[in-house]
Amino acid sequence: MWLAVAATMFVVAWGGNEFTPLLVMYRSDHGFSPVVVDVFLFAYVFGIVPGLLLGGPLSDRLGRRPVLLPAPLLTIAGSAVLAAGADSAVAIVVGRILCGVALGLAMAVGGSWLSELTRWDRTARPGAGARRAAMSLTAGFGLGAGVAGALAQWAPWPSGLSYALHIAISVGAMLALLRVPETRPAQQKSDRRPLIADLRIPAAGHRRFLFVVAPLAPWVFGSAAAAYAVLPAVMTSRTELPLAFSALMCVVGLGAGFLIQSLGRKIDAPRNSRAVLVALLFVVAGMIAAAIAAHQLTVPIAIAASVVLGCGYGMALVSGLQEVQRIAGPDDLAGLTAVFYSLTYLGFATPAVMASLSEAFPAVTYPMMFGFGALAATACVVLVVVKWTSHLPGRATHTVDTHSDGSGAE
């Protein structure tokens, strides 16, 4: 049954990222400036964060199914608005926010539900819940972007066909979700605390979270956005098929992230920060490669940079989720997952910030900005090394997923 939840996370992630390779189209065919287009990309964060922060606590009160079921409906509505409003900035922002709310619910509620269902899977290995959630999202992000870019480059109705396809597959996922068993029954009204009390996430103050997970989180989508939003924009003048190239960069970067997530079990070490360190080292290397690619404007180097940044994204996502699942208790799992994801999406401001700086200060070049990113990521590496074995959660703070699979992490 976990596959149905994974499929929902997949289609909602598809809807969240199918917009990315179309950035070139919105600039060239619909007359929006680079900064405005990058703001469109970031706009769905205004839907994601409320969906994350409210979805988790609400699903703890009401159950996983009633809170996740609206996600496919919202992503369908978002795609419909985007397909109908390609020339309207307001419509694009509204569509992106709808897709964002859906993605926030899928990440917070879907991730927790999937991890709880994994407890019932006797074949699941330690950390399987976190890996399944991360891989479902990454597969949706990558395939959604790849298909959207290819359809926009070569198929008719470039501003709408990919959204129509997404609507069709989302209907199927929504129907499958109806049959998934509930893992968190609704609380009796007499047992419910005020919602404001449920919005407090004590585990977010855990020192392991503050000093290891929080510094890592923005690099999840910071590195991903650099790979498949910033670099394709920088390379536009060097490609004859900009939409297809943008889609290729998405697929290559997220494909690398997907593949390395499957190795996350071997890299992760519950008694230290090894997986987090590996993730940050990939980010540092990717930022350096991106700086070289932006300076040389060479397609092969840009693709190589996308691969390394994608590995950074993939390892950062799965290692962050595994740390979260070790830190959180059963009542904090959805909430702390939501906090983590909210921090990851700060990285999605990267393209808009870089485009704004480049436009306002021409002397500030993209190679310089990528170089600064490498230095900032290096500072996070130092912090993670210093906190290598510090503030490890005890057995009493294990999550459903970690506790049930017998990993014995401390």
Side-chain angles (χ1 to χ4, degrees):
M1 285 297 181
W2 67 267
L3 283 170
V5 178
T8 298
M9 297 178 72
F10 170 84
V11 298
V12 173
W14 177 306
N17 207 41
E18 64 184 333
F19 183 86
T20 304
L22 306 183
L23 297 176
V24 175
M25 178 194 72
Y26 286 108
R27 285 196 298 265
S28 61
D29 297 349
H30 298 276
F32 296 109
S33 72
V35 173
V36 169
V37 168
D38 286 332
V39 170
F40 291 160
L41 181 67
F42 183 69
Y44 88 141
V45 174
F46 292 103
I48 289 171
V49 173
L52 283 168
L53 297 181
L54 290 173
L58 283 174
S59 73
D60 287 340
R61 295 163 67 91
L62 306 176
R64 306 303 188 205
R65 183 188 291 106
V67 181
L68 186 59
L69 274 176
L73 290 172
L74 289 167
T75 199
I76 287 169
S79 279
V81 172
L82 288 168
D87 293 310
S88 167
V90 173
I92 292 172
V93 169
V94 170
R96 292 290 289 159
I97 290 175
L98 287 171
C99 289
V101 175
L103 186 56
L105 293 175
M107 294 174 95
V109 185
S112 298
W113 198 2
L114 194 154
S115 291
E116 291 161 354
L117 289 166
T118 298
R119 174 183 52 177
W120 300 346
D121 182 359
R122 297 185 180 275
T123 66
R125 294 181 177 182
R131 289 193 300 277
R132 287 170 175 175
M135 294 175 76
S136 299
L137 291 169
T138 300
F141 289 144
L143 287 176
V147 171
L151 291 176
Q153 185 71 69
W154 289 296
W157 194 25
S159 62
L161 185 58
S162 62
Y163 297 122
L165 175 61
H166 171 246
I167 289 171
I169 64 173
S170 296
V171 170
M174 181 175 62
L175 294 176
L177 194 64
L178 294 171
R179 302 179 60 188
V180 180
E182 180 62 78
T183 58
R184 179 102 180 179
Q187 298 174 355
Q188 297 293 327
K189 289 186 178 180
S190 58
D191 296 333
R192 293 178 189 173
R193 301 182 301 171
L195 181 58
I196 190 65
D198 285 343
L199 292 175
R200 299 189 184 99
I201 312 297
H206 193 290
R207 291 188 177 184
R208 184 76 175 174
F209 186 85
L210 294 176
F211 293 117
V212 174
V213 180
L216 169 75
W219 295 110
V220 173
F221 289 111
S223 56
Y228 58 63
V230 179
L231 279 176
V234 171
M235 297 297 299
T236 298
S237 63
R238 298 301 179 101
T239 59
E240 296 181 0
L241 300 170
L243 284 167
F245 179 73
S246 182
L248 175 65
M249 292 286 277
C250 286
V251 172
V252 166
L254 291 168
F258 180 86
L259 291 174
I260 202 166
Q261 285 169 1
S262 65
L263 300 175
R265 178 179 61 86
K266 296 180 180 180
I267 298 171
D268 181 58
R271 291 177 174 82
N272 59 48
S273 304
R274 184 171 67 191
V276 174
L277 178 62
V278 169
L280 288 170
L281 289 175
F282 271 120
V283 174
V284 172
M287 288 292 170
I288 293 172
I292 296 170
H295 178 70
Q296 298 290 336
L297 294 179
T298 304
V299 169
I301 298 177
I303 292 175
S306 181
V307 170
V308 181
L309 286 166
C311 288
Y313 152 80
M315 272 306 304
L317 180 58
V318 75
S319 63
L321 285 173
Q322 287 179 144
E323 288 281 352
V324 163
Q325 292 194 4
R326 284 192 285 265
I327 293 167
D331 292 334
D332 273 343
L333 177 58
L336 193 62
T337 301
V339 173
F340 169 69
Y341 278 132
S342 297
L343 293 174
T344 67
Y345 271 97
L346 294 176
F348 240 99
T350 300
V353 170
M354 295 178 77
S356 298
L357 287 173
S358 178
E359 186 175 286
F361 307 101
V364 179
T365 64
Y366 277 92
M368 291 171 59
M369 288 185 279
F370 282 125
F372 176 80
L375 291 174
T378 300
C380 294
V381 167
V382 173
L383 177 59
V384 167
V385 170
V386 169
K387 297 295 183 179
W388 184 250
T389 57
S390 300
H391 317 302
L392 292 172
R395 294 180 186 275
T397 60
H398 286 181
T399 66
V400 175
D401 181 40
T402 310
H403 180 75
S404 63
D405 61 37
S407 65
E410 295 189 76

